[in-house]
Amino acid sequence: MDERIADILKNYRDTVKPLLADIQARRSDDKLPDNFLNEIRALNDHIARCYRNDISDGHFIDSELTKAEGHLRRLIYDCFKQLNIYISDTLEYKEKKYYSEMWLTHKKGVFWTSYSKYRKYAQQYVIDAKKSESIDSDRAMALYEKAFQSYRGAEELLLENQTMLKLSFVNKHLLKAGHFGWWFFITVILSVISALIGLFC
């Protein structure tokens, strides 16, 4: 019993806690969603039942620890799914805000190639994971984790290239201003020509 509990707690400490901390950091209210708290409570409840004074049945203890392991597994599963959503939303926001043609040429195209690959793989892993959820939960878990790693790769690339993002933001708006300037200039010229034609024709 003690070895199984130690494994559960080690897995919670080494795997789940960093993921939960990442989720908290990404939320505006710095809180964990209720379904995560419910899984944590259930996990601890099943472990606590193993220490009741009136329990001597090894099968009961095994059953409770199996349930605790199930809650731990669902917790990891939910963490990956939630983080994938958060990071995907963050990437979309940054693309809309900062993207310009500079992304394509930065670092001789290496940045865009790497970023696109991370995004493509992450999205495909999520699609494959959803298909596997009801068929093979182990495969789904592995795919959600791969999606998370790919999304994190894309996110890290953006963090490492903050200066380029800022320059890209400026470039994007200068191009917009330039297009507007030309449109305004052409509109004024056409209006003047139209007025002159009206006067002399």
Side-chain angles (χ1 to χ4, degrees), residues 47-97:
I47 292 175
R49 289 179 191 181
C50 297
Y51 289 96
R52 281 170 43 189
N53 291 330
D54 60 335
I55 298 300
S56 58
D57 183 1
H59 292 297
F60 175 84
I61 291 173
D62 283 342
S63 174
E64 290 302 310
L65 291 180
T66 298
K67 290 174 183 175
E69 288 164 348
H71 286 292
L72 180 66
R73 183 179 178 78
R74 279 192 292 277
L75 194 52
I76 296 170
Y77 200 77
D78 288 345
C79 282
F80 284 134
K81 290 176 77 172
Q82 190 67 62
L83 284 166
N84 288 337
I85 292 168
Y86 284 150
I87 299 174
S88 177
D89 289 347
T90 298
L91 295 179
E92 285 181 17
Y93 168 78
K94 288 191 174 183
E95 286 169 16
K96 286 178 183 175
K97 183 174 181 180

Side-chain angles (χ1 to χ4, degrees), residues 129-182:
K130 286 178 180 177
K131 291 177 182 175
S132 298
E133 278 190 32
S134 58
I135 303 166
D136 186 343
S137 61
D138 287 337
R139 183 170 186 272
M141 172 80 82
L143 288 167
Y144 277 124
E145 183 174 1
K146 283 184 176 182
F148 170 67
Q149 297 300 339
S150 294
Y151 274 130
R152 285 290 292 124
E155 189 175 49
E156 282 298 318
L157 266 180
L158 295 186
L159 290 171
E160 290 165 8
N161 291 275
Q162 287 289 327
T163 301
M164 184 277 288
L165 293 187
K166 290 172 184 175
L167 289 172
S168 180
F169 177 82
V170 172
N171 181 56
K172 175 181 179 177
H173 289 283
L174 283 175
L175 284 173
K176 279 185 179 178
H179 289 314
F180 175 78
W182 276 110

Side-chain angles (χ1 to χ4, degrees), residues 3-18:
E3 189 176 332
R4 279 184 77 184
I5 292 174
D7 285 343
I8 291 169
L9 296 178
K10 183 178 186 303
N11 206 352
Y12 179 83
R13 183 181 66 248
D14 296 346
T15 303
V16 177
K17 281 189 75 176

Side-chain angles (χ1 to χ4, degrees), residues 100-129:
S100 77
E101 289 183 1
M102 284 185 70
W103 287 38
L104 305 176
T105 57
H106 183 57
K107 293 185 177 176
K108 298 181 180 178
V110 173
F111 166 81
W112 180 247
T113 300
S114 299
Y115 181 79
S116 299
K117 195 177 290 185
Y118 279 129
R119 289 283 270 146
K120 178 184 173 184
Y121 285 154
Q123 290 164 352
Q124 190 57 55
Y125 286 140
V126 168
I127 290 168
D128 293 342

